[in-house]
């Protein structure tokens, strides 16, 4: 049987990671790749799910770097368009060192400054779904995009609406970014709400749901949005509530020493979607998400390094007591030693 196929649509960004400490004192930057949908695609391929990334990049070094990184990870980039008139988006990641400098961040905290205005990806539009991309979408098990893609430009929103209008199964992660809605914040609830209702699989954080829709209650959110078959809400208490139709499961996250939070939501989405496509139970899907998110939370970088599928499956299938006491760091350390 062919591996399930996912098409991820959205902006990729070059990332420049500063040395820990105030940004103005950083003399070197480490280059890496980011972008919500690209991150999800890279998690999926680690779990054996065939994934493609559809986007636009500039005809520049950063664009070539992004495509090369996704190619090397095993993601199909044949649907990426090179835009000769616009640059590839990027962001600077500032990392705290906990010093007493007034512009430093607490140790372990991060802050991002985005340079994506008028980037190549802001020109995404329905016209980018050419014949080859359409064929890829037609044979996909699902199409995934986020609220970031919806927000980056009017033409990108037209693209996401066109994807929802197709017969494809649609996965949508709310990913509310207030800065992207500056000057039109009153539209966010309506536009994002329409995308929630038009999708089959929806994920959102309780905090962002409260900001956009006025409530963080899973029950109220399910009553507000009965349309998606799967509605996943990541709660402030580090518990994820997942609805499948009217059925509900609540699965606590693992206890971790968090190194960095960036990319954890994308890793969760990748793990959950992979487990859904592979036929795991509702609780196991959420556990796959938690385990993949743990790979992001316990390391630096936007893209999680996840455990092999067989190990994830074994951990996701443990009983509730074993799950509650699971030491992810110890499991990951054993895997790292075995890989050396």
């Amino acid at each position: 049987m062919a591996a399930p196929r996912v098409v991820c649509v959205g902006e990729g960004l070059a990332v420049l990671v500063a040395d820990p400490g105030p940004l103005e004192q950083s003399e070197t930057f480490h280059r890496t790749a980011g972008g919500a949908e690209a991150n999800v695609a890279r998690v999926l391929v680690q779990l054996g799910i065939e994934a493609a990334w559809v986007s636009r990049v500039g005809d520049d070094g950063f664009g070539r770097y992004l495509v090369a990184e996704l190619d090397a990870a095993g993601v199909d980039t044949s649907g990426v368009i090179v835009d000769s008139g616009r640059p590839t988006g990027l962001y600077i990641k500032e990392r705290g060192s906990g010093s007493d400098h007034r512009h430093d961040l607490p140790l372990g905290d991060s802050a991002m400054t985005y340079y994506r205005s008028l980037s190549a990806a802001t020109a995404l539009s329905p016209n980018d779904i050419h014949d080859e991309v359409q064929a890829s979408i037609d044979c996909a098990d699902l199409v995934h995009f986020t609220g970031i893609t919806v927000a980056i430009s009017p033409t990108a929103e037209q693209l996401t609406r066109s994807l929802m209008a197709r017969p494809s199964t649609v996965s949508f992660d709310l990913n509310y970014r207030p800065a992207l809605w500056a000057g039109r914040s009153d539209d966010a609830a309506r536009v994002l709400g329409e995308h929630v209702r038009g999708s089959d699989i929806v994920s959102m954080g309780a905090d962002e749901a409260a900001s956009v829709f006025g409530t963080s209650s899973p029950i109220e959110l399910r009553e507000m949005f009965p349309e998606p078959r799967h509605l996943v809400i990541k709660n402030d208490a580090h518990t994820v509530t997942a609805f499948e139709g009217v059925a509900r499961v609540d699965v606590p996250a693992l206890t971790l020493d968090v190194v960095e939070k960036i990319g954890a939501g994308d890793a969760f989405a990748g793990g959950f979607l992979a487990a859904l496509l592979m036929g795991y139970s509702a609780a196991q899907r959420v556990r796959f998400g938690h385990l993949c998110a743990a790979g992001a939370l316990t390391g630096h970088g936007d893209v999680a390094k996840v455990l092999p599928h067989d190990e994830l499956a074994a951990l996701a299938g443990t009983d509730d007591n074993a799950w509650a006491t699971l030491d992810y760091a110890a499991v990951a350390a054993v895997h790292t030693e075995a890989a050396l």
Side-chain angles (χ1 to χ4, degrees):
M1 182 180 294
R5 183 175 177 83
V6 180
V7 178
C8 300
V9 183
E11 183 172 31
L13 302 106
V15 185
L16 299 179
V17 184
D19 290 332
L23 187 61
E24 59 267 35
Q25 294 182 0
S26 182
E27 296 183 355
T28 59
F29 293 80
H30 172 69
R31 182 191 60 181
T32 184
E37 293 86 357
N39 291 344
V40 171
R42 292 170 72 179
V43 170
L44 287 167
V45 296
Q46 290 182 67
L47 297 175
I49 302 295
E50 187 180 355
W53 176 50
V54 174
S55 189
R56 296 176 73 97
V57 299
D59 187 9
D60 51 38
F62 282 144
R64 291 186 288 275
Y65 165 72
L66 283 177
V67 173
E69 284 290 291
L70 272 291
D71 278 338
V75 177
D76 179 353
T77 61
S78 61
V80 177
I81 294 173
V82 177
D83 187 329
S84 61
R86 300 175 181 83
T88 303
L90 66 90
Y91 73 83
I92 308 298
K93 181 189 292 185
E94 182 178 358
R95 295 186 290 161
S97 69
S99 72
D100 58 2
H101 190 287
R102 68 189 185 96
H103 293 302
D104 197 3
L105 299 170
L107 182 65
D109 279 8
S110 301
M112 280 68 68
T113 302
Y114 288 87
Y115 299 87
R116 71 192 331 161
S117 178
L118 301 180
S119 71
T122 63
L124 279 166
S125 78
N127 294 331
D128 294 330
I129 308 300
H130 52 73
D131 290 346
E132 186 176 356
V133 175
Q134 180 59 62
S136 181
I137 291 173
D138 286 345
C139 71
D141 288 274
L142 63 86
V143 177
H144 175 76
F145 58 85
T146 75
I148 295 172
T149 304
V150 176
I152 58 175
S153 72
T155 60
E157 181 188 333
Q158 292 168 13
L159 170 59
T160 59
R161 290 185 182 278
S162 75
L163 293 172
M164 291 191 299
R166 297 174 186 271
S168 309
T169 298
V170 173
S171 165
F172 175 64
D173 193 333
L174 186 63
N175 266 6
Y176 174 59
R177 300 292 185 268
L180 293 177
W181 294 92
R184 56 194 183 107
S185 58
D186 291 346
D187 293 335
R190 175 184 60 80
V191 173
L192 292 172
E194 289 167 354
H195 280 74
V196 171
R197 294 185 177 94
S199 300
D200 305 285
I201 306 158
V202 175
S203 176
M204 63 181 72
D207 54 346
E208 60 182 352
S211 297
V212 180
F213 303 125
T215 181
S216 61
S217 164
I219 294 175
E220 292 179 2
L221 288 165
R222 190 46 162 168
E223 290 174 348
M224 188 180 298
F225 300 112
E227 295 88 354
R229 177 168 178 79
H230 300 275
L231 179 64
V232 180
I233 300 155
K234 294 166 278 188
N235 300 341
D236 295 335
H238 305 293
T239 295
V240 167
T241 298
F243 293 95
E244 181 176 4
V246 297
R248 168 179 175 165
V249 295
D250 296 274
V251 183
L254 300 169
T255 300
L256 300 168
D257 291 324
V258 175
V259 173
E260 189 173 286
K261 297 179 180 179
I262 306 303
D266 302 328
F268 182 94
F272 180 89
L273 292 175
L276 175 64
L277 290 170
M278 290 186 284
Y280 286 92
S281 71
Q284 288 172 326
R285 295 169 209 153
V286 178
R287 287 183 175 183
F288 260 79
H290 281 317
L291 289 162
C292 291
L297 291 166
T298 56
H300 291 291
D302 282 18
V303 180
K305 299 295 189 294
V306 304
L307 297 173
H309 169 257
D310 289 349
E311 292 188 39
L312 292 176
L315 295 172
T318 59
D319 62 36
D320 290 345
N321 289 334
W323 177 258
T325 58
L326 178 62
D327 186 343
Y328 178 84
V331 173
V334 169
H335 172 70
T336 300
E337 283 186 20
L340 295 176

